[in-house]
Amino acid sequence: MMTMFKLSFKSNRRRRRPLLLMVVVLLFLTILSAHLTNAQATNYHYCGTSWPSANSNCGTSCPLGTNEECPGSETCYANCNNCPAVPIPPPSPAPPPSPAQATNNNYCGLSWTSANADCGTSCPLGTNEECPGSETCYADCTNCPAVPIPPPSPPPPPSPPPTDSRLVAYLQNWEDCPTADQLDGYTHIV
């Protein structure tokens, strides 16, 4: 069964007013919300020799709230409500962290216990070749100070390409065979 709706502008006018009011209110709230989120933060910080002088003169502003922003011996005062609002500058981005030196706690010893107790020779690369005598390199000696790991050594320079040179001696078959001394500089004989 199919139901038909009859549209009548006169009868729906009362129902549309609350809907229109709701749309207007939502539009207003949306604009207000966008304005509030995009608004820049402000304060009332000004420099002066005292709070009353800063509040009445409204001279130099100090938006970060530090005395370093003020000239001479003046001080930065907050809540100077007689003065215009001062925009607070956005914080500067933090510098990137410097790369930390990699460390480990590798030490040489006859056992892990002795290496951890003595903290004698360090072996930052973790190899037994760094240890004296018959000692072994042990990791995680937590009682010992951390040792910086040296940067990897640069790779060795590439070896020169093999030379592909040949020195060929061409001999005619009717001549006598050459001596060993005569063939010494040649790589091939044809």
Side-chain angles (χ1 to χ4, degrees), residues 20-39:
L20 181 61
L21 182 61
M22 209 182 319
V23 168
V24 169
V25 168
L26 285 175
L27 182 61
F28 174 74
L29 291 175
T30 303
I31 292 170
L32 180 65
S33 171
H35 175 70
L36 290 178
T37 56
N38 292 333

Side-chain angles (χ1 to χ4, degrees), residues 6-190:
K6 183 178 178 184
L7 294 175
S8 171
F9 291 105
K10 291 182 180 178
S11 64
N12 287 334
R13 200 175 280 175
R14 288 184 185 162
R15 286 187 220 151
R16 281 189 279 161
R17 284 184 187 158
L19 180 62
L20 181 61
L21 182 61
M22 209 182 319
V23 168
V24 169
V25 168
L26 285 175
L27 182 61
F28 174 74
L29 291 175
T30 303
I31 292 170
L32 180 65
S33 171
H35 175 70
L36 290 178
T37 56
N38 292 333
Q40 187 173 10
T42 60
N43 65 27
Y44 298 90
H45 294 163
Y46 281 87
C47 301
T49 55
S50 64
W51 183 85
S53 72
N55 193 35
S56 61
N57 295 335
C58 303
T60 304
S61 64
C62 45
L64 297 178
T66 63
N67 292 335
E68 289 77 25
E69 299 172 89
C70 297
S73 61
E74 291 185 359
T75 305
C76 183
Y77 293 97
N79 301 321
C80 296
N81 298 330
N82 289 337
C83 302
V86 178
I88 300 172
S92 58
S98 61
Q101 172 76 39
T103 59
N104 65 28
N105 295 71
N106 296 348
Y107 281 86
C108 301
L110 297 174
S111 67
W112 181 86
T113 307
S114 69
N116 194 36
D118 299 338
C119 301
T121 304
S122 64
C123 46
L125 297 177
T127 63
N128 292 336
E129 289 77 25
E130 299 172 89
C131 299
S134 61
E135 292 184 359
T136 304
C137 182
Y138 292 97
D140 299 323
C141 296
T142 54
N143 288 339
C144 303
V147 177
I149 300 172
S153 58
S159 59
T163 58
D164 193 19
S165 65
R166 296 183 180 118
L167 186 58
V168 179
Y170 291 98
L171 300 177
Q172 299 170 349
N173 62 358
W174 57 87
E175 293 192 18
D176 292 335
C177 288
T179 64
D181 289 338
Q182 292 174 324
L183 296 175
D184 190 33
Y186 295 100
T187 58
H188 296 78
I189 299 173
V190 179

